[in-house]
Amino acid sequence: MNNNFQPLDSDFAFEDGVSQGIRITEEMRGYWRETARWTMILSTLAMVVVSGLAIGFVVTLTIIKGNSVGIAESFGVILIFAFLIGVAYKVRISLDKYSRGIRKAADQNNQNSLENAYSNLLWFFQFMGIIYWLSFILIFISVATAFSGRGGF
């Protein structure tokens, strides 16, 4: 049985009986700081998207109420807005946690912050992968439904 919980540098060559491992250089720390800046910018943009979606949600509810359309009839619109707000908010939180963690790791040489930052980044990519697949499936179903009544392409 393989032990998958080995350090990243376990397969690196030994020199004079001492593991050389992965060395964290100042250049790498500079890249981490730059990555932290950009992910913070993306996190801020995601917060702007959340705010825009929330405003759009309120405007949509006002229009629905003004047109005397019931909440039950517009439940799909409400669910779509709630889903989009939730996705954008989770993206914002994940990027923010990564940015803060990687900056702390670069500035304070904090191993725990580095591990947590990359854990958040991994979770972000997994989450976005699921969202992309769901979007792809939804688009496929929409296109298939649209062309099914016309007899194909």
Side-chain angles (χ1 to χ4, degrees), residues 17-38:
V18 178
S19 172
Q20 297 302 309
I22 296 175
R23 291 176 288 137
I24 308 300
T25 63
E26 277 306 310
E27 185 178 11
M28 290 172 68
R29 289 179 196 278
Y31 291 141
W32 288 350
R33 287 181 187 101
E34 185 72 19
T35 303
R37 281 187 221 113
W38 280 104

Side-chain angles (χ1 to χ4, degrees), residues 83-134:
F83 176 75
L84 291 175
I85 290 171
V87 167
Y89 185 74
K90 186 58 187 167
V91 165
R92 185 241 185 267
I93 294 298
S94 296
L95 290 174
D96 186 61
K97 285 182 179 181
Y98 171 76
S99 178
R100 292 177 194 275
I102 202 74
R103 180 171 287 157
K104 185 177 180 182
D107 292 343
Q108 299 176 4
N109 199 23
N110 189 325
Q111 180 71 29
N112 193 32
S113 293
L114 181 65
E115 291 170 2
N116 288 337
Y118 277 106
S119 174
N120 284 313
L121 188 63
L122 172 67
W123 195 95
F124 169 75
F125 284 127
Q126 291 171 339
F127 180 74
M128 291 310 296
I130 291 168
I131 296 301
Y132 286 140
W133 274 108
L134 288 175

Side-chain angles (χ1 to χ4, degrees), residues 34-48 95 99:
E34 185 72 19
T35 303
R37 281 187 221 113
W38 280 104
T39 53
M40 188 57 74
I41 290 169
L42 292 175
S43 174
T44 304
L45 289 175
M47 193 61 208
V48 170
L95 290 174
S99 178

